[in-house]
């Protein structure tokens, strides 16, 4: 019992979280970051328009509805050079540029671009990737420097990704992810490689890149424009004017307190192969193999409470290119019988040029379905073919090119 009380006493006095009073009563004397991490942040301010516009040389904007009005959410560089900026009404933007290309904002495409970049970073740079900051990608590359040796190699690799994705992104380097995000927003690309350089690098960053709203207005009214101005203030005075949130974020950026980021993880996918004991092009012998693979897939989907609407089967040959069969469904399925029905219909028009040695099944399009919605998406099981099932069967037998 005495040991328990001693442990509680030790924990609360040495490891407990600081109270709001303790946060703003501290001073700025211990603001040298001791982190050995190095974060690379890509800031994509034009992600909304670059995700939907295919012609970057013509003035174009992405719009959204706000308060019953259509306003400009993002503009590309030709539009910015003509005086259009975010927040303008669509009518005023058209008055400035008559031949302006207008696209409604598509957040789904924006997320697809971000997740694609995150996947590239996860596979080639680092397993620590985060999408917590708006329109940004934070990558911890400190542990990758032993592989890449020079930051210029990492920078060149990232620039190749951005060029292939038709994206533009200022990048910044800092020992903390929040500092890297602020530096990228401010357009400061000079790498900050140590905690000793961090304080000086953040000194000239405008508060407009750090915060917004009423807190920013109060600080501006007090004559505070940059992070350097803010750090000359007593912490309790800054807390009264800007709130505790700005103190917490400054402490995170300077490395005085740890950052709690959500790590990005790649979506799970199913990939399994079955090697035949004896090479064959007999369809009757291949069907049980495919059925076994589909059983494994169905178990994989049930474990994750997921469904799929697209599968890919690859029949590998010894000296010929693989025969690819794509199974598409009109809605999400997770039952073997539903998958086999479409496979059987499509198998009738499949021809193998050589003997099959391995059958491979791949499924990447997974959709998590809530338990209460599964009955709605499930195919009818009373023996009658629904219209969706008939569509699938016709498409499988005739091919997508002949079925409209």
């Amino acid at each position: 019992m005495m040991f328990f009380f001693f442990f509680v006493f030790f924990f609360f006095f040495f490891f407990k979280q600081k109270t709001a009073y303790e946060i703003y009563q501290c001073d700025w004397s211990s603001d040298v970051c001791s982190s050995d991490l190095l974060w690379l942040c890509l800031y994509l301010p034009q992600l909304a328009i670059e995700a939907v516009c295919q012609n970057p040389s013509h003035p174009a904007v992405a719009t959204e509805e706000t308060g019953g009005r259509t306003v400009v959410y993002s503009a590309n560089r030709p539009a910015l050079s003509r005086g259009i900026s975010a927040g303008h009404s669509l009518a005023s933007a058209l008055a400035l540029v008559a031949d302006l290309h207008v696209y409604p904002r598509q957040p789904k495409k924006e997320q697809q671009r971000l997740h694609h970049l995150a996947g590239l970073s996860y596979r080639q740079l680092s397993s620590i990737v985060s999408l917590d900051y708006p329109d940004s990608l934070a990558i911890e590359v400190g542990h990758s420097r032993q592989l890449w040796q020079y930051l210029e190699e990492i920078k060149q690799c990232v620039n190749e990704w951005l060029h292939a994705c038709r994206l533009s992104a200022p990048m910044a380097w800092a020992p903390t992810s929040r500092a890297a995000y602020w530096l990228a927003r401010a357009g400061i690309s000079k790498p900050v490689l140590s905690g000793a350089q961090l304080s000086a690098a953040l000194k000239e960053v405008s508060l407009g890149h750090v915060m917004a709203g009423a807190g920013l207005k109060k600080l501006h009214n007090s004559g505070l424009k940059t992070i350097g101005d803010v750090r000359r203030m007593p912490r309790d005075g800054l807390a009264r004017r800007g709130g505790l949130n700005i103190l917490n974020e400054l402490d995170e950026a300077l490395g005085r307190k740890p950052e709690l980021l959500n790590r990005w993880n790649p979506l799970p996918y199913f990939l399994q192969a079955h090697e035949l004991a004896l090479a064959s092009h007999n369809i009757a012998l291949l069907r049980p193999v495919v059925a076994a693979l589909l059983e494994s897939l169905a178990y994989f989907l049930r474990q994750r409470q997921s469904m799929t609407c697209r599968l890919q089967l690859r029949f590998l040959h010894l000296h010929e290119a693989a025969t690819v069969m794509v199974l598409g469904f009109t809605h999400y399925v997770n039952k073997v019988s539903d998958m086999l029905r479409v496979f059987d219909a499509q198998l009738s028009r499949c021809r193998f040029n050589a003997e099959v040695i391995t059958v491979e099944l791949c499924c990447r399009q997974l959709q998590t379905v809530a338990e209460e919605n599964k009955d709605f998406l499930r195919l009818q099981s009373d023996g009658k073919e629904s219209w969706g099932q008939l569509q699938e069967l016709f498409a499988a037998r005739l091919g997508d090119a002949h079925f409209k």
Side-chain angles (χ1 to χ4, degrees):
M1 183 63 70
M2 292 296 296
F3 176 77
F4 174 76
F5 283 113
F6 175 77
F7 175 77
V8 173
F9 174 84
F10 184 81
F11 177 82
F12 274 96
F13 278 84
F14 291 94
F15 294 101
K16 71 183 182 67
Q17 295 291 325
K18 291 184 178 181
T19 63
Y21 176 80
E22 292 171 320
I23 289 175
Y24 69 73
Q25 285 296 325
C26 301
D27 56 26
W28 300 102
S29 58
S30 59
D31 61 354
V32 177
C33 177
S34 59
S35 173
D36 59 348
L37 304 178
L38 179 63
W39 288 89
L40 165 62
C41 183
L42 307 180
Y43 176 54
L44 296 95
Q46 297 178 334
L47 175 63
I49 184 61
E50 290 174 337
V52 294
C53 179
Q54 302 298 324
N55 184 9
S57 61
H58 191 88
V61 296
T63 62
E64 68 172 357
E65 298 291 331
T66 303
R69 300 170 58 244
T70 303
V71 298
V72 175
Y73 181 84
S74 177
N76 62 2
R77 291 180 180 178
L80 291 173
S81 65
R82 304 280 285 273
I84 300 175
S85 60
H88 279 185
S89 66
L90 180 59
S92 62
L94 290 172
L96 291 172
V97 181
D99 59 342
L100 181 69
H101 289 179
V102 180
Y103 302 90
R105 185 190 175 200
Q106 299 186 32
K108 186 175 181 180
K109 285 190 175 182
E110 299 169 23
Q111 290 301 311
Q112 288 175 348
R113 294 290 184 94
L114 277 176
H115 282 278
H116 180 65
L117 284 178
L120 293 173
S121 305
Y122 186 89
R123 291 189 295 270
Q124 301 184 33
L125 281 184
S126 171
S127 62
I128 305 178
V129 181
S130 178
L131 297 176
D132 279 9
Y133 301 113
D135 297 336
S136 300
L137 177 66
I139 313 164
E140 202 290 302
V141 296
H143 295 90
S144 302
R145 281 189 288 178
Q146 295 180 353
L147 299 176
W148 292 84
Q149 296 183 356
Y150 301 104
L151 296 184
E152 285 299 324
E153 296 180 8
I154 300 179
K155 185 176 180 180
Q156 180 180 357
C157 178
V158 173
N159 282 328
E160 290 176 359
W161 300 346
L162 295 173
H163 179 73
C165 297
R166 297 181 180 178
L167 296 173
S168 57
M171 62 182 71
W173 317 73
T176 64
S177 62
R178 188 171 294 278
Y181 172 63
W182 288 351
L183 292 172
R185 291 201 61 180
I188 301 175
S189 60
K190 182 179 179 181
V192 181
L193 304 181
S194 66
Q197 303 172 355
L198 185 57
S199 178
L202 291 174
K203 184 178 179 180
E204 301 301 326
V205 175
S206 171
L207 290 179
H209 300 307
V210 175
M211 58 186 301
L216 176 62
K217 187 175 181 181
K218 287 182 180 180
L219 294 179
H220 278 178
N221 291 339
S222 301
L224 305 175
K225 305 297 183 182
T226 65
I227 293 181
D229 297 337
V230 164
R231 293 182 56 240
R232 285 194 289 267
M233 283 189 64
R235 289 173 65 90
D236 55 348
L238 177 59
R240 287 194 298 269
R241 288 175 173 82
L244 285 176
N245 188 50
I246 181 62
L247 281 180
N248 287 325
E249 292 185 353
L250 278 171
D251 286 341
E252 290 179 356
L254 294 169
R256 293 166 56 98
K257 62 180 295 187
E259 303 170 284
L260 301 178
L261 293 179
N262 295 310
R263 290 178 60 169
W264 180 90
N265 291 306
L267 294 175
Y269 67 92
F270 179 87
L271 179 62
Q272 186 172 327
H274 184 100
E275 186 175 352
L276 302 181
L278 184 63
S280 173
H281 52 73
N282 189 339
I283 296 178
L285 296 178
L286 295 177
R287 189 183 187 280
V289 176
V290 174
L293 291 173
L294 293 177
E295 286 283 358
S296 300
L297 172 61
Y299 178 73
F300 175 86
L301 294 174
R302 287 195 300 268
Q303 281 187 316
R304 290 156 180 77
Q305 297 184 353
S306 301
M307 291 183 167
T308 184
C309 64
R310 186 181 178 87
L311 312 174
Q312 179 178 280
L313 281 164
R314 297 177 72 240
F315 299 92
L316 306 183
H317 311 288
L318 186 59
H319 299 296
E320 300 287 340
T323 303
V324 179
M325 177 187 297
V326 177
L327 306 184
F329 307 91
T330 57
H331 55 277
Y332 288 96
V333 297
N334 63 357
K335 295 172 63 177
V336 178
S337 58
D338 301 331
M339 304 176 196
L340 274 177
R341 179 172 47 250
V342 178
F343 170 73
D344 289 337
Q346 191 161 338
L347 194 62
S348 62
R349 60 185 183 88
C350 184
R351 297 292 181 268
F352 300 117
N353 297 325
E355 292 183 332
V356 178
I357 59 173
T358 302
V359 181
E360 181 183 274
L361 175 62
C362 179
C363 176
R364 296 182 180 273
Q365 296 189 12
L366 304 184
Q367 175 66 45
T368 302
V369 182
E371 191 68 31
E372 61 272 13
N373 294 331
K374 287 185 178 180
D375 289 336
F376 177 76
L377 294 175
R378 190 174 296 161
L379 288 174
Q380 297 179 4
S381 59
D382 57 358
K384 297 180 180 179
E385 300 289 347
S386 67
W387 173 242
Q389 290 173 321
L390 292 175
Q391 284 181 303
E392 292 171 355
L393 293 176
F394 279 125
R397 289 184 182 276
L398 302 178
D400 294 333
H402 299 87
F403 181 77
K404 300 295 183 181

